[in-house]
């Protein structure tokens, strides 16, 4: 009979997230993970598999605790307000990121996904989930008249995804409020353009 685990898996994954997030996948060693999680290398391997498997679980944990939770909270709001709240949180997180860690998902897209087909597929799936959230909001806003019909809903959703990725990359090197707000403002203005009957 297998012995029950004698550690909090969620706490260990959170520690692994912080380690991978701060250093990146390649620069993070098993020794770093042992130091951060407090587990032995053998315990890590027994519980999670190799470093790559632990990174996947850590990334999944990051997505669920951050991105998925944000989408759920924002979707409780009216369509346009949901998009504005989503970007408001992203701006706050980006500007308060003193270590300039950025977004772990975007970091994975840039650092790991280009060289690893499985991670590329996993990251792409999360980006599609974010795009789908934007699409649902835009379609609902177009239906209730709060979001412009000047562009197709799918086009606006794709535009918002691109703005999101751009903000998260910019914030790694230039976490400046005027720059980041100036990147978001035209995208939000485009959503409202003509929605109230004005041009």
């Amino acid at each position: 009979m297998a012995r029950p685990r004698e550690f909090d898996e969620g706490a260990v994954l959170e520690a692994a997230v912080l380690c991978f997030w701060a250093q990146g996948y390649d620069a993070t060693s098993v020794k770093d993970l042992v130091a951060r999680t407090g587990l032995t290398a053998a315990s890590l391997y027994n519980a999670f598999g190799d470093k790559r498997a632990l990174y996947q679980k850590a990334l999944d944990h990051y997505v669920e605790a951050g991105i998925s939770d944000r989408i759920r909270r924002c979707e409780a709001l009216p369509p346009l307000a949901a998009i504005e709240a989503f970007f408001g949180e992203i701006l706050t997180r980006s500007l308060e990121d003193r270590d300039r860690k950025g977004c772990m998902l975007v970091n994975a897209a840039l650092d790991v996904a280009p060289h690893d087909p499985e991670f590329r597929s996993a990251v792409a799936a999360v980006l599609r989930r974010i795009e789908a959230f934007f699409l649902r909001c835009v379609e609902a806003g177009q239906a209730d008249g709060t979001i412009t019909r000047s562009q197709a809903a799918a086009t606006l959703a794709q535009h918002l995804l691109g703005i999101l990725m751009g903000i998260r990359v910019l914030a790694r090197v230039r976490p400046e409020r005027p720059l980041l707000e100036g990147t978001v403002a035209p995208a939000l203005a485009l959503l409202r353009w003509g929605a109230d009957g004005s041009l």
Side-chain angles (χ1 to χ4, degrees):
M1 183 173 177
R3 293 176 60 190
R5 291 182 182 174
E6 298 176 353
F7 59 85
D8 182 337
E9 182 172 325
V12 170
L13 285 175
E14 187 63 29
V17 164
L18 294 174
C19 197
F20 283 123
W21 193 5
Q23 299 175 209
Y25 176 75
D26 288 334
T28 298
S29 67
V30 173
K31 183 178 179 180
D32 294 328
L33 292 166
V34 166
R36 181 75 75 152
T37 63
L39 297 182
T40 65
S43 293
L44 282 174
Y45 284 126
N46 288 337
F48 300 103
D50 59 12
K51 175 181 144 179
R52 185 178 180 280
L54 178 55
Y55 181 75
Q56 178 66 72
K57 290 180 184 294
L59 184 60
D60 291 344
H61 182 79
Y62 172 88
V63 168
E64 184 57 32
I67 297 168
S68 297
D69 177 66
R70 182 177 304 114
I71 287 174
R72 282 192 293 270
R73 285 186 288 102
C74 290
E75 279 197 311
L77 301 171
L80 183 57
I83 295 171
E84 292 172 338
F86 187 96
F87 277 102
E89 287 194 22
I90 294 299
L91 285 175
T92 298
R93 288 180 65 87
S94 297
L95 292 168
E96 293 179 352
D97 181 12
R98 294 184 179 181
D99 297 325
R100 300 189 182 187
K101 298 186 304 296
C103 170
M104 188 175 174
L105 179 71
V106 175
N107 296 348
L110 297 172
D111 298 337
V112 182
H115 318 292
D116 189 314
E118 288 186 27
F119 273 106
R120 184 162 60 245
S121 177
V123 170
V126 179
L127 295 182
R128 282 193 290 270
R129 283 168 57 191
I130 298 171
E131 183 182 350
F133 158 70
F134 287 141
L135 180 60
R136 291 191 298 273
C137 291
V138 172
E139 287 177 336
Q142 288 181 333
D144 70 15
T146 58
I147 291 179
T148 183
R149 293 175 177 268
S150 66
Q151 301 281 338
T155 300
L156 290 171
Q158 291 160 357
H159 177 64
L160 292 171
L161 180 64
I163 294 296
L164 173 63
M165 295 298 101
I167 291 167
R168 292 307 247 160
V169 174
L170 278 172
R172 291 293 301 273
V173 291
R174 291 183 60 190
E176 304 157 14
R177 182 177 295 277
L179 173 65
L180 301 186
E181 290 183 345
T183 302
V184 174
L188 298 181
L190 174 61
L191 297 180
R192 294 187 290 268
W193 184 82
D196 59 359
S198 62
L199 294 178

